[in-house]
Structure formats: structure tokens, C-alpha cells
Amino acid sequence: MRKSITMLTVGVMALASCQTPETKTTMNEENPLLSEWNTPFGVPPFDQIKNEHYLPAFEQGMSEHKAEIDAIVNNTEAPTFANTMEALERSGATLDNATRVFYAVAGAHTNDVLDSVRTVVSPMLSKHYDYISLNKGLFERVEAIYNSLESSDLNAQQKRLVSESYKGFIRSGVGLEGQQKDRLQEINSRLSELTTKFGQNVLAETNNFEVHTTNPEDYGTLTSSLVSLAAEEAKKRGHEEGWSFTLQRPSINPFLQYSPNREMREQLFQGYAMRADNDNENDNKKIIEEIVALRIERANLLGYETHADVQLSSSVAQTPKAVMDFMDKVWPAALNMAKSEREALAAEMKKDGVEGELRGSDWRYYVEKVRKAKYNFDEDLMRPYFEVNAVRDGAFALATELFGIQINELKDMPKWHKDQQVFEVLEADGTHIGILYMDFFARDSKRGGAWMNSLRSQSKMDGDVTPIVTNNFNFPAPTENGPSLLSFSESETMFHEFGHALHGLLSDVTYPSQSGTSVPRDFVEFPSQVMENWMSEPEVLKLYAKHYQTGEVIPDELVKKMNDANAFNEGFRSVEYMAAAYLDMSWHTLTSAEGIEARAFEKEAMDKIGLIDQIIPRYRSGYFNHIFAGGYSAGYYSYLWSELLDADCFQAFKETGDLFDQETAQKYRTMLSKGGSEPGMDLYIEFRGKTPEIDPLLEKKGFK
């Protein structure tokens, strides 16, 4: 639930294009983005691409794409699926390649130049995609095909492509005229500027903060690998000695868990909680207020009451009410469990002789104390069994067990950072499936979180185009003193993002805009979250969880302690996530932003659901990249919605008595392979034979 998958959504999804570089007609030997990619498997030539190549590639790509759209509109022949829909699918190849590469690199390894390019190009892209999505001539051709669907001989995938494209035009405002159309374009352009600035502010606030100490007692029982990482961070920040702790997850979370220095924990916690809410040059409150106001105005122009109504019209949930009703079924039990956990933590704090109220910065520290006292469990004892490459191999081994695929590392491949690893994914018989990039470690040039990018989508419209996908993480980097050792939660993140990668890699559709993860937000997290169910099962752990020094398989006793102890903090995990989901819906079900002040609005929204003082939303408004700089506005609930599906799906495997049951695995792979070519819930019912039930989810969380 804490991960995110980042996909560029600049225009109607159905208009997205992904072609293999070999089909490009524009040649420019000086700019790799405008040349054929003579690289293994047609991967982007990251080692040749320079900062100055991006803007010219965007400009030429937009020019070519516009000409291709104009050619479709000006075609004197009657609209057909081939001359309109397939022509749309083929359009924009140059722009698509530049866009995918740029946003993948800018998210994972940015710099001042790329930030400037992003600022310049965002409104350009907004204007360009408005030209397409608001193009009456183009819409009329799509509409003509849509109106004749009933009598056409198109297959199911083709009919869905037409209908989803038609709906996308309608949602984009193609019916607007005159001043309303002009205003919509102004709003879209301004929103692209604001969301870009929002993300840049969050990254700056994250990188600018540190807590430095020269006293080893301040970091408590932190593992030696994380101590070394903090020492290296201190040197990077100009300190001659000591340790620096930052707002990057691999730094702040362990410090909050293990530092006995209560005031230093509070300092770091508040630094994290107040990002982009410090009334400085990186403050995001006014940006949020303007974004929300513009989204409401845009929704009204499109004929909707709220931004959430617009966003959810293409989702599985369909309406804000359905989302709220679903969350309201889970929230009371989650909140009650969190309150019980708070009592246990406060009692533990009292044993320490600490007076006063339990604070948010105390929570993780006393969770570890309770786990030790109640379960005789120390999470850091797990880290030696979760070395980053071993966890990676565990995710790969699971995919092999389920689907029979092979994953082999490729050396000397073009990369955007030296730490990246590249893999070829093959069928059991050696048939090439696709390419997977993995970028594991946190750095100042990478945004927070974890996500998947698609550098090239699978399709069969013009030959067999195979996918290229990336997984991106913010794990602790290895140091001179040892390898990167992950927490259990970080290991879950590995399996989660690999689930997204499999969704893209195992796609088997004709049209690129229906490929892989081109599905509604509240379905896209399902294939990723289901992978987390396997990772902690004893028979799966034995595949990969081995001590990095001794090779010893993780002991059954330690696994049991881990699973028992992890159940303790489920209230906190659910509440901090769901608080953020409620916050998202609160912002985006507003019908007016008049008089709204971001900080006060957030407090009112959290008070309304009864959020306890010791827990803040997983993402407070000021740094909520998912909804104010990404594609999850009115969609952050989708992790919980997808968790309903993943719990029910895993139950299907458990019911067979075999977690690797091949018949069930093949049915599951078939569902993944269809991408967005069928409605998500239809695909799930085809797999399961029924709609998902909520009981497995509640039982999994310990709420029932």
C-alpha cells in the first residue's frame, strides 16, 4: 500500500502509443532519441543520451505526432477501424519514446537540467495532448466507428479499444466550444506546471533536511550496515565525523525504530511530517489550493460535480460513494486495533519512565520494544536473511515456480545509473519475453517511494513488439562494510513492484494502449499486491531467505516470530494508509475550494474520521506526490480496493492445497496477459468464477 507505480498520463490513455524504435522514420544521428536504437533488444541507449537531447526530441516528436493526427483527420476516406483507430495507435512513436525515457530517468536520476526541461516541457505536452483530445475532427471519426459498433464485425478487443477511446474523448471535454474550450486548455496547462513544481518542492524538502550526531548512543541498536550508511551520509554532507540521518525511508524509519534519543526522534519525525509545509520557498500549500480549485473548475466544465466523479467514471469502483462505502467497512476495525496498539505502546513507554503522552515519533520505537517483550522478536535480526540480491532472486524464483519463466542477468547493457541491473525474461523454452531494469538504491537524484515504468509496451499490431519495463526502489545502498540488507517491509516492496513488472512483461495483446498495466487505478495494484502474499510463506522464504554470511536458511522459529510480531502493528499500517486515502477523497470530493486553507482543511478531514493524534496520514497533503504530482488523485484508495482482490486471489491458491498450483497459476497468468483489453472485474470473475469476497481481506488483517 505504500508503493506506488508512476505512469505518465498526458492525454487520453487510448491515444497512448508505443512502437519499437525500429519503426521510426525520423533519423538524426546526433540525437539518440531521434535515431534508430541499435542496441541489444532495442533498449534505450542510455549511455548515449545527454541532457540536451531531450527538449529537441520532445519538440520534433510533438511536431511529427501533430502531423500524423492531422493526416488521420484529413483523410477523405470514410472512418474505419484501420484508418482511424489503428492509425491512432501508430501515431506519436517519436514522442512516445522521448517521453517514456525522459520521465523514467527524471524520476530516478534527475538533475538541475532535467528539472528545467520538465518545467518547460510539461505545459508544452499539455497543449499538445489537448490538441488531440479536444480535436473535433478526430473525435467525429472515432464517434462514427463507435456508433456502428453493434453492426460491426470487430472483435472484442477492437470494440473495447473504440469504446474506451470514445469515452476518453468525452471525459477530456471534446464537446466544449469557444470560451469553455479555451478555459479548459488554460486549466490543463496550469495544472501541468503546478504538479511539476509540487514534486520538485517535495524532493528539495526531502534532500535539505538532516539530523546529525556524533554520539553513537543516539542511534541505539541500529544495525552496522545502516550505521555505515549514516556515516557515509555525514561525509557527503560535509561533516568530518559522526552520522547523518535523513528523510529518505531507509534512513528515517530505522532511526525512529531504534534511537533511544526521544527528542532527536521527534526532530526527524517532524522534519518528515512538515515537508513542503514550512512557509518557505518550497511550501506546497498554495499550490495544493490552486490545484484543487482548478480540478473542481475543470470537472464542472466537463459536466461533473467533483474531480473524484471525473476520475472514478473510468474506474472499477465508478463512484465516490462506492469508494467511501468500501473504506467505511474497514476503517472502524482498523482504528480500534490502532487504539489498542496505542495503549500497549503507552504502557511500554511508561515502563521506560517516560512521562507524558505517547507521540507519533515514539510509535515505531515502542513497537520494537513491544515486539521484543511480547514476541521475543527483533526486526533487525531479519535483515541478514534479506540481502537485496537474494530477495530479488526470491521474487524471480517465485515467478519461475508459478509461470515457468527464466530470468537471466545481462551485462554491459545501457543504463541510466551504474547501480542498475538488467535482465532478460524468457519462457521455459527460451523464447524471449522482455527486458527488466532494476534500480535499487536511494539517492538524492531519485524521488521517494517505489514504482514501475514501461519503457516499451508489448503489442502485436505491427509484428511482435516485446516489453521493456523498470522497477525502481529506495533501498539502503551497500557500504564499504557490507551489502544492502533489507527489512521485511522493504522486501515486500521488492515483491510488490516485481508484480507490476510481471503485469507488463506477461502482457499478450494486440494493441499497445491495452497492454500490461493500462488498466484502471483500482485494478492496477492487484497484480502487485498479490505477490506480497507469497513472500512470507515458509516454503517461499526457503527459496531465498538465507543468511548473507553463513548461507543458513531462515529458521522456522524466526519466521513464526516474524509473522506473529508483524500482526501486532496492523492497526497502525492500515490506519496511516487509509487516513491518506480518506484525505485524497476529501480533497477531491470538494465542490468548491473557496476559503480553503490546506493545513486547516487536512486537520478537519482527519478529525472527521477520528484519526488519533499519534498517527499522521502516510502522506500529508504537502508531500502527497501520488495525488498532487502523480496519477492517483481520487485513486489512492485503490491499494485497499486491490487488496480485496489480492486476498481473494491468494485464497484461490490456498484452496488447492498448493501455493504453486499450476492450473490456478496458468489461469492467473491468462488474466495478467489480457492487460486492459477487457474490464478488470470481468477478468477477475473469469479467473475466480465469482466476485471477490471481503472476508479474506478482513481475516488477513486480523480484523475478523
Side-chain angles (χ1 to χ4, degrees):
M1 294 181 294
R2 58 210 168 276
K3 310 99 180 170
S4 76
I5 176 171
T6 298
M7 299 187 66
L8 181 67
T9 49
V10 282
V12 184
M13 182 176 289
L15 301 183
S17 166
C18 181
Q19 282 186 277
T20 179
E22 288 77 7
T23 65
K24 294 169 65 174
T25 57
T26 301
M27 302 294 291
N28 185 326
E29 294 303 323
E30 296 180 358
N31 188 335
L33 291 168
L34 298 174
S35 307
E36 286 190 21
W37 295 347
N38 296 314
T39 54
F41 307 102
V43 302
F46 293 114
D47 53 340
Q48 301 172 33
I49 298 170
K50 299 178 181 177
N51 292 338
E52 60 265 27
H53 291 146
Y54 287 110
L55 191 55
F58 275 120
E59 290 171 338
Q60 182 162 323
M62 282 184 271
S63 177
E64 287 182 16
H65 196 192
K66 183 178 182 296
E68 291 163 345
I69 295 300
D70 290 344
I72 297 170
V73 174
N74 296 327
N75 190 338
T76 57
E77 297 178 2
T80 66
F81 186 84
N83 70 22
T84 301
M85 300 309 305
E86 289 188 342
L88 269 173
E89 289 287 301
R90 292 189 178 96
S91 69
T94 298
L95 178 59
D96 189 66
N97 286 326
T99 299
R100 288 174 184 253
V101 171
F102 174 78
Y103 280 94
V105 176
H109 194 36
T110 194
N111 54 50
D112 290 343
V113 176
L114 294 188
D115 282 346
S116 298
V117 171
R118 193 201 297 251
T119 300
V120 170
V121 83
S122 290
M124 293 169 59
L125 286 170
S126 175
K127 182 178 179 180
H128 173 73
Y129 280 100
D130 277 349
Y131 176 78
I132 299 171
S133 62
L134 302 178
N135 191 309
K136 285 289 183 63
L138 183 60
F139 172 67
E140 287 170 0
R141 293 185 70 87
V142 173
E143 185 179 35
I145 303 168
Y146 176 80
N147 288 337
S148 63
L149 276 184
E150 295 266 338
S151 58
S152 74
D153 59 357
L154 299 177
N155 63 35
Q157 282 191 22
Q158 292 169 330
K159 288 181 177 180
R160 180 165 172 79
L161 182 62
V162 174
S163 63
E164 290 303 300
S165 181
Y166 174 83
K167 293 174 189 175
F169 275 105
I170 298 296
R171 283 193 298 269
S172 295
V174 73
L176 299 180
E177 302 280 1
Q179 291 183 346
Q180 286 188 322
K181 180 178 179 180
D182 292 342
R183 180 55 182 156
L184 178 65
Q185 291 175 296
E186 290 173 3
I187 290 171
N188 289 343
S189 179
R190 180 60 177 158
L191 283 172
S192 70
E193 295 172 2
L194 291 169
T195 54
T196 297
K197 179 61 175 171
F198 182 98
Q200 291 171 340
N201 285 347
V202 174
L203 184 60
E205 289 278 279
T206 302
N207 288 339
N208 291 345
F209 191 94
E210 69 165 324
V211 168
H212 179 257
T213 181
T214 56
N215 184 355
E217 292 182 3
D218 287 334
Y219 58 69
T221 58
L222 202 65
T223 60
S224 59
S225 62
L226 294 177
V227 171
S228 295
L229 200 64
E232 290 185 3
E233 185 66 33
K235 291 177 182 176
K236 277 171 49 181
R237 290 176 179 259
H239 301 289
E240 292 184 3
E241 59 180 2
W243 303 268
S244 286
F245 298 91
T246 73
L247 303 183
Q248 295 281 2
R249 291 274 188 171
S251 181
I252 182 175
N253 282 356
F255 187 86
L256 292 177
Q257 285 176 287
Y258 296 107
S259 171
N261 187 323
R262 192 179 189 218
E263 295 314 309
M264 196 171 282
R265 290 201 312 268
E266 177 71 3
Q267 186 181 351
L268 197 60
F269 180 85
Q270 290 300 329
Y272 182 86
M274 296 302 293
R275 285 180 297 164
D277 187 11
N278 292 302
D279 300 316
N280 58 17
E281 68 275 11
N282 295 320
D283 196 278
N284 273 334
K285 289 192 292 293
K286 293 300 180 185
I287 291 177
I288 292 168
E289 292 157 19
E290 187 176 355
I291 287 174
V292 170
L294 289 173
R295 284 175 173 173
I296 294 169
E297 184 182 356
R298 182 172 63 181
N300 295 162
L301 282 172
L302 297 174
Y304 294 88
E305 188 175 17
T306 71
H307 179 70
D309 288 304
V310 179
Q311 295 297 95
L312 294 170
S313 65
S314 60
S315 70
V316 177
Q318 288 290 298
T319 66
K321 184 180 185 304
V323 171
M324 297 301 287
D325 287 349
F326 171 63
M327 291 203 296
D328 288 347
K329 291 178 182 177
V330 181
W331 176 253
L335 187 60
N336 285 336
M337 183 177 282
K339 289 177 178 178
S340 296
E341 292 165 357
R342 178 180 61 180
E343 291 176 8
L345 301 182
E348 194 68 29
M349 188 175 82
K350 191 173 182 180
K351 287 181 186 176
D352 265 1
V354 179
E355 299 296 328
E357 292 285 321
L358 182 80
R359 301 188 298 211
S361 55
D362 297 321
W363 193 286
R364 286 177 171 83
Y365 182 72
Y366 285 102
V367 163
E368 292 310 308
K369 291 223 167 197
V370 168
R371 283 174 167 172
K372 287 179 182 177
K374 190 173 181 179
Y375 303 102
N376 191 26
F377 176 75
D378 181 350
E379 186 176 36
D380 263 358
L381 294 177
M382 305 293 292
R383 284 186 182 270
Y385 296 95
F386 292 109
E387 189 272 328
V388 65
N389 293 303
V391 177
R392 175 206 67 199
D393 291 344
F396 291 176
L398 174 58
T400 299
E401 290 284 341
L402 288 173
F403 309 123
I405 61 177
Q406 307 173 52
I407 304 176
N408 300 325
E409 188 167 7
L410 300 172
K411 300 292 187 181
D412 302 319
M413 293 288 284
K415 303 174 183 178
W416 66 57
H417 191 276
K418 63 180 179 60
D419 289 343
Q420 278 185 297
Q421 299 175 2
V422 190
F423 302 87
E424 182 183 10
V425 184
L426 308 100
E427 298 285 8
D429 64 3
T431 302
H432 177 78
I433 293 176
I435 297 295
L436 169 65
Y437 279 78
M438 302 193 94
D439 186 355
F440 290 121
F441 307 122
R443 51 180 174 266
D444 292 347
S445 60
K446 184 187 287 187
R447 70 175 182 84
W451 67 96
M452 171 256 203
N453 293 110
S454 174
L455 295 172
R456 186 174 73 205
S457 296
Q458 176 275 331
S459 68
K460 292 183 176 178
M461 185 174 63
D462 293 314
D464 193 4
V465 178
T466 56
I468 304 171
V469 304
T470 76
N471 273 173
N472 309 275
F473 309 92
N474 272 278
F475 296 149
T479 67
E480 293 179 357
N481 299 321
S484 172
L485 303 178
L486 306 185
S487 67
F488 177 78
S489 176
E490 288 165 337
S491 301
E492 276 188 323
T493 299
M494 176 91 78
F495 276 74
H496 179 105
E497 295 305 328
F498 183 58
H500 281 308
L502 287 174
H503 200 182
L505 289 163
L506 299 180
S507 177
D508 186 16
V509 299
T510 301
Y511 302 104
S513 64
Q514 296 178 335
S515 179
T517 55
S518 299
V519 297
R521 286 288 178 201
D522 50 6
F523 191 81
V524 76
E525 294 299 335
F526 155 53
S528 53
Q529 289 187 180
V530 75
M531 295 292 285
E532 297 179 28
N533 289 276
W534 273 283
M535 70 148 297
S536 60
E537 291 288 332
E539 58 192 288
V540 178
L541 283 166
K542 293 183 189 303
L543 295 175
Y544 71 95
K546 301 173 183 178
H547 197 285
Y548 80 99
Q549 291 174 314
T550 67
E552 174 199 17
V553 174
I554 191 167
D556 291 339
E557 180 185 0
L558 188 55
V559 173
K560 184 179 186 308
K561 285 182 181 180
M562 175 189 73
N563 289 332
D564 290 344
N566 281 338
F568 169 70
N569 205 35
E570 182 56 47
F572 170 85
R573 286 190 293 269
S574 294
V575 163
E576 68 149 7
Y577 158 71
M578 291 189 68
Y582 275 114
L583 180 59
D584 171 29
M585 294 301 294
S586 296
W587 278 118
H588 293 115
T589 51
L590 281 172
T591 56
S592 171
E594 186 175 351
I596 291 292
E597 193 282 314
R599 191 185 294 169
F601 177 83
E602 178 182 304
K603 183 180 185 309
E604 182 181 348
M606 297 298 94
D607 287 346
K608 184 178 179 181
I609 62 172
L611 182 65
I612 59 179
D613 292 340
Q614 292 78 10
I615 300 178
I616 61 173
R618 180 166 294 165
Y619 300 102
R620 290 193 59 230
S621 301
Y623 50 91
F624 207 160
N625 269 326
H626 286 77
I627 67 171
F628 293 124
Y632 278 77
S633 59
Y636 194 63
Y637 76 92
S638 62
Y639 292 94
L640 185 64
W641 188 280
S642 295
E643 203 170 351
L644 171 70
L645 299 179
D646 87 63
D648 189 72
C649 173
F650 193 61
Q651 184 67 24
F653 282 89
K654 290 169 71 174
E655 287 169 2
T656 69
D658 179 3
L659 295 182
F660 307 120
D661 179 68
Q662 289 302 291
E663 182 180 352
T664 309
Q666 185 54 51
K667 287 168 65 179
Y668 177 65
R669 177 173 178 172
T670 299
M671 177 171 54
L672 290 186
S673 73
K674 294 184 178 181
S677 64
E678 295 180 31
M681 191 54 71
D682 289 358
L683 287 173
Y684 189 82
I685 293 172
E686 286 175 26
F687 160 72
R688 191 70 164 107
K690 61 178 182 178
T691 57
E693 298 176 355
I694 198 170
D695 284 355
L697 170 62
L698 298 177
E699 290 170 4
K700 174 183 173 183
K701 289 181 169 293
F703 298 162
K704 184 176 179 178

